[in-house]
Amino acid sequence: MVAAQTKLPMQVSHVKSTHMTENTDHTQLCEWLKEVAENRCKISFTHLFKFFAPKIQRIARSKFPNEAQAHEVVQDTMSNVWRKAHLFDANKGAATTWVYTVMRNVTFDLLRKIKNNREDNLSDDIWPIAENAVTEDHSYEDHLENKQLLRVIEALPVTQQEVVKGFYLMEMSQEQLATHLNLPLGTIKSRLRLALVKMKVQLGEEHD
Amino acid sequence: MIKHHPKFELIQSYVNGELPASLSIGITLHAELCSVCQQKIAQLTEQVAERSFDELSNPLLNELSKLDFESDITDDDFFDSMIDDITDSNDIDTFAEVMPKQVIFKDKSYTLPSALNNISMGKAANIGKLSRARLQLDENEIHSNLLHINPGGGVPEHTHKGFELTVLLDGSFSDDRGEYHKGDFIMLDGSFTHNPISEKGCLCYTVANDALHFTQGINKLLNPIGSFIY
Ligand SMILES: [Zn+2]
């Protein structure tokens, strides 16, 4: 095997690109997810469904004794993909990783329901769907405020997130953002305004 | 400085979703404070996901899909109606951000990590410098608690038949093997005997699957505490 000898050392610094194989079209999957998130595109969702559902079904069949439960896993996982697609962030990892997380969480909650007769759906607390991949946090208290704010931002539609993150976290000006995202200044302003209204509602509820 | 981490096999089962809720929560609590384990979890999740969904790198999946071919035809109709059903609603999930939970043990107040937000908690019971609140996870013989030790308190020397997991949420304690700090993930199995003491007080998340058994002289009289902590 000549190939083995000339193989490049594996990258370990960046989680995202380390173990990708070439067989799955990750870019395509990301685009479909983005279409679902931004345009509620049913055609893209159908593509995602055709790619993932049969695989989820087979994996679920190995964990649950009957077909009906396997179907429940497919149904719940794919409807979470439909309803939570805006929480997927292509910069933080592959689409397959994200869908796996959604499927694993659905499976965990269903198994717990069957085994322990509890419907407390703890999985999203154990493995948050929209958490930052790696945080530098070393205490709960110090960064609590920040973390809360981030979660509220993560819950925004992707188009608004870009603007809010650029403006508040990267401290870009509205003009810089317009150039950076290749959008009219008016669009940046209105997205920012919409996002702020939503965030105020969310943050306000928390501090009541 | 965190020195004690979950071992690899445990992290692997965690990523696969195969651990009981109590132990999964223990690893989440540790990982929130440990960037080393966070990184490991992220990498493992990515690998498992890739293996799960990639036909070519998963020969079993490939074989199964050939065998399934006939039943897949009927599945098609079923799947089509599922797609319609799902996309019928345009609702999206937003985060209902909840305020972090506060607990008070002997007039000291703690903010609990968000992993514990939705778990109902029993009233704190006290014996001497120990307080514990039961977490209602309902996992049969596996019991989970928040255990608080007041400054100068400790758990008398004991052993147990099953496992005992302690994740230190705040403060520190020590036993004959050394000192433990906030974030440490300490998993002991039945063959171990120890006598943790907390000079300055601490709050722990604990999971055990059997009562503790006290091993020394007068402390045997304390064996009811064993069931108290378990
Ligand atoms: Zn660790």
Side-chain angles (χ1 to χ4, degrees):
Chain A
M1 290 274 280
V2 185
Q5 287 166 350
T6 54
K7 210 171 137 191
L8 290 166
M10 287 230 288
Q11 290 180 357
V12 280
S13 56
H14 201 264
V15 180
K16 201 177 145 193
S17 57
T18 319
H19 298 280
M20 288 294 148
T21 60
E22 299 304 316
N23 309 318
T24 304
D25 190 345
H26 292 279
T27 319
Q28 179 65 76
L29 292 175
C30 283
E31 271 164 29
W32 285 332
L33 268 178
K34 203 173 163 219
E35 277 297 305
V36 170
E38 289 174 11
N39 304 316
R40 311 304 282 145
C41 172
K42 200 175 158 177
I43 296 162
S44 297
F45 180 75
T46 306
H47 285 307
L48 287 168
F49 195 99
K50 300 256 146 120
F51 179 86
F52 284 111
K55 292 165 190 157
I56 294 170
Q57 162 116 328
R58 280 177 217 122
I59 295 165
R61 268 312 258 129
S62 71
K63 302 209 173 202
F64 293 91
N66 70 60
E67 195 83 36
Q69 285 158 344
H71 278 153
E72 199 175 334
V73 174
V74 177
Q75 166 98 34
D76 287 0
T77 304
M78 291 315 294
S79 77
N80 280 346
V81 168
W82 175 249
R83 285 184 286 112
K84 293 178 202 277
H86 60 289
L87 302 175
F88 168 70
D89 182 348
N91 297 318
K92 285 178 194 161
T96 43
T97 309
W98 189 74
V99 175
Y100 172 81
T101 308
V102 174
M103 172 186 74
R104 190 259 326 272
N105 288 11
V106 164
T107 306
F108 182 88
D109 286 335
L110 187 59
L111 279 172
R112 183 161 156 76
K113 190 166 128 191
I114 295 166
K115 264 194 279 183
N116 304 102
N117 201 21
R118 292 290 299 220
E119 295 194 45
D120 41 14
N121 300 329
L122 294 175
S123 67
D124 285 354
D125 288 333
I126 298 173
W127 302 280
I129 294 289
E131 219 197 19
N132 303 320
V134 174
T135 53
E136 303 288 303
D137 269 9
H138 285 277
S139 74
Y140 300 116
E141 297 83 8
D142 302 356
H143 298 271
L144 198 66
E145 207 67 42
N146 247 330
K147 224 166 144 181
Q148 261 178 329
L149 192 60
L150 268 179
R151 290 208 184 172
V152 174
I153 294 175
E154 305 286 7
L156 293 169
V158 184
T159 48
Q160 294 176 15
Q161 272 187 45
E162 287 177 332
V163 180
V164 171
K165 282 183 181 165
F167 191 71
Y168 286 100
L169 304 181
M170 280 133 68
E171 299 184 334
M172 294 165 87
S173 70
Q174 298 192 9
E175 287 75 10
Q176 282 172 324
L177 272 167
T179 318
H180 175 66
L181 296 171
N182 200 16
L183 288 166
L185 186 57
T187 310
I188 300 289
K189 287 191 171 163
S190 68
R191 281 186 190 172
L192 199 55
R193 203 165 40 233
L194 279 172
L196 284 182
V197 172
K198 274 189 211 165
M199 287 171 66
K200 266 187 199 152
V201 172
Q202 293 245 348
L203 287 168
E205 278 165 3
E206 279 162 36
H207 293 289
D208 268 339
Chain B
M1 179 64 188
I2 297 175
K3 274 190 261 168
H4 301 269
H5 307 266
K7 59 178 189 210
F8 181 77
E9 291 77 13
L10 212 54
I11 294 185
Q12 203 165 32
S13 317
Y14 166 81
V15 165
N16 292 340
E18 292 161 355
L19 292 180
S22 49
L23 291 179
S24 304
I25 290 164
I27 292 181
T28 298
L29 294 174
H30 168 77
E32 273 196 59
L33 296 169
C34 175
S35 52
V36 177
C37 288
Q38 260 176 49
Q39 193 87 31
K40 267 190 212 160
I41 290 165
Q43 270 176 6
L44 268 176
T45 309
E46 190 201 308
Q47 287 169 33
V48 173
E50 185 67 16
R51 245 180 290 133
S52 302
F53 295 132
D54 197 293
E55 306 256 352
L56 294 173
S57 70
N58 190 341
L60 179 69
L61 208 61
N62 218 10
E63 280 311 301
L64 279 171
S65 70
K66 280 180 207 152
L67 289 175
D68 272 0
F69 189 69
E70 286 195 17
S71 69
D72 271 352
I73 294 167
T74 45
D75 270 354
D76 268 354
D77 283 342
F78 182 78
F79 277 161
D80 283 343
S81 68
M82 203 185 263
I83 293 173
D84 290 337
D85 190 39
I86 290 170
T87 54
D88 204 30
S89 156
N90 249 333
D91 292 349
I92 58 165
D93 283 7
T94 48
F95 269 113
E97 182 69 46
V98 276
M99 277 300 276
K101 246 189 192 169
Q102 301 276 337
V103 282
I104 296 172
F105 284 105
K106 318 255 178 176
D107 33 276
K108 202 173 164 187
S109 157
Y110 298 88
T111 303
L112 290 183
S114 57
L116 300 174
N117 264 348
N118 292 306
I119 299 166
S120 45
M121 203 179 297
K123 243 183 95 190
N126 305 297
I127 292 187
K129 293 187 185 226
L130 296 175
S131 323
R132 74 113 169 94
R134 174 100 56 231
L135 296 169
Q136 250 91 56
L137 287 171
D138 285 354
E139 295 189 295
N140 307 319
E141 79 284 359
I142 303 175
H143 293 182
S144 312
N145 293 303
L146 284 181
L147 180 68
H148 184 262
I149 307 180
N150 257 11
V155 182
E157 184 168 289
H158 64 276
T159 185
H160 27 86
K161 287 182 191 145
F163 65 82
E164 180 196 66
L165 167 68
T166 307
V167 182
L168 247 168
L169 301 180
D170 202 24
S172 62
F173 71 81
S174 53
D175 63 15
D176 51 3
R177 295 191 311 162
E179 202 169 328
Y180 306 93
H181 300 278
K182 180 169 173 171
D184 270 331
F185 183 100
I186 308 135
M187 180 66 115
L188 301 175
D189 65 29
S191 59
F192 212 87
T193 303
H194 71 155
N195 172 21
I197 307 262
S198 183
E199 209 181 296
K200 291 176 183 153
C202 65
L203 178 68
C204 305
Y205 170 81
T206 67
V207 183
N209 66 342
D210 190 25
L212 282 58
H213 299 280
F214 292 96
T215 48
Q216 274 192 330
I218 187 99
N219 281 333
K220 283 186 186 164
L221 294 174
L222 294 174
N223 267 327
I225 295 190
S227 337
F228 167 81
I229 291 169
Y230 163 62

